[in-house]
Amino acid sequence: LAKTTQPISMDSYEGQEVNITCSHNNIATNDYITWYQQFPSQGPRFIIQGYKTKVTNEVASLFIPADRKSSTLSLPRVSLSDTAVYYCLVGSPGGSYIPTFGRGTSLIVHP
Amino acid sequence: GAVVSQHPSWVICKSGTSVKIECRSLDFQATTMFWYRQFPKQSLMLMATSNEGSKATYEQGVEKDKFLINHASLTLSTLTVTSAHPEDSSFYICSAPDSRTGYGYTFGSGTRLTVV
């Protein structure tokens, strides 16, 4: 099971781009990288998932270098409502994989 | 997308009583359900994995007689905290694999349990 390492916390201001990097040095060939967002007293919410290169959706982008040993979640123009904890998970969806959470990154967006 | 409905969203109970938390998959079949516990300012910790029609698998250190898990159908899994104590107060979250989208997993909204 690939272990992930993220910064414990980050601060930003409204309108800025935020990049959160996750290290996963022992990622397996079949593993995908998935990011979740969690607000206080709510369950995690899927943000984005990728395998390699770059993935973009309506809320974020995910950059994955060729060696796949890390990944960067990019949040464009954050707002106060983006204040949350962000978790990076690595594994093969389905099968016997069990989503295991690390400590996550607590992002605080300031006015 | 796939939705897991979790109820109740919060519950307060007296010490020694039991509390049942339900998670229903609304638009897909959940053959597996993961149950997590989250203490304040901490990450989600896996408690157990339930599979429809079979016994749940508990993580090390989780008392199976205290945290009863039932997964009697493809759309319903329940967690019962028996003889609750104040130290059981926590945020409980369920999650199910969503094979339809390929995104992996969808999570319930969580249940805040307070034992007084």
Side-chain angles (χ1 to χ4, degrees):
Chain A
L1 195 64
K3 181 180 177 180
T4 60
T5 303
Q6 304 174 231
I8 294 176
S9 64
M10 294 183 69
D11 288 88
S12 184
Y13 291 90
E14 285 189 291
Q16 291 189 335
E17 178 185 75
V18 171
N19 296 307
I20 306 174
T21 298
C22 178
S23 297
H24 28 79
N25 291 318
N26 58 340
I27 187 170
T29 302
N30 295 331
D31 287 345
Y32 281 72
I33 301 157
T34 310
W35 286 79
Y36 292 89
Q37 175 192 56
Q38 186 183 28
F39 296 114
S41 295
Q42 294 187 28
R45 182 177 73 99
F46 170 89
I47 299 176
I48 197 167
Q49 184 181 74
Y51 182 79
K52 62 180 181 180
T53 62
K54 176 184 175 182
V55 179
T56 298
N57 61 22
E58 61 276 10
V59 297
S61 294
L62 178 60
F63 298 92
I64 306 169
D67 66 4
R68 303 201 327 123
K69 293 184 182 299
S70 67
S71 59
T72 300
L73 173 72
S74 181
L75 305 172
R77 298 178 299 282
V78 295
S79 63
L80 297 178
S81 62
D82 292 316
T83 294
V85 178
Y86 293 82
Y87 295 97
C88 161
L89 275 69
V90 174
S92 301
S96 61
Y97 167 63
I98 299 175
T100 303
F101 288 79
R103 297 185 63 178
T105 298
S106 176
L107 171 66
I108 298 177
V109 180
H110 302 276
Chain B
V3 175
V4 171
S5 177
Q6 184 171 348
H7 293 280
S9 56
W10 61 271
V11 58
I12 301 173
C13 71
K14 293 184 177 181
S15 289
T17 61
S18 296
V19 172
K20 179 184 285 188
I21 301 170
E22 292 188 350
C23 279
R24 295 180 183 273
S25 56
L26 297 185
D27 49 1
F28 68 104
Q29 293 184 334
T31 56
T32 300
M33 192 75 75
F34 302 110
W35 287 92
Y36 296 85
R37 179 168 53 182
Q38 186 176 32
F39 292 107
K41 297 191 182 301
Q42 295 188 22
S43 186
L44 285 75
M45 295 298 295
L46 182 68
M47 298 175 64
T49 302
S50 72
N51 293 290
E52 186 268 336
S54 64
K55 290 184 178 181
T57 302
Y58 291 82
E59 295 300 298
Q60 190 173 6
V62 177
E63 301 175 54
K64 62 179 181 180
D65 294 330
K66 179 172 186 60
F67 299 98
L68 301 180
I69 292 175
N70 184 279
H71 197 149
S73 78
L74 290 173
T75 58
L76 175 63
S77 178
T78 63
L79 167 67
T80 301
V81 183
T82 62
S83 187
H85 291 283
E87 57 265 30
D88 298 324
S89 297
S90 188
F91 191 58
Y92 294 86
I93 307 168
C94 60
S95 172
D98 178 16
S99 60
R100 300 180 314 157
T101 66
Y103 294 146
Y105 301 86
T106 186
F107 290 82
S109 54
T111 297
R112 173 72 59 193
L113 170 63
T114 301
V115 184
V116 298

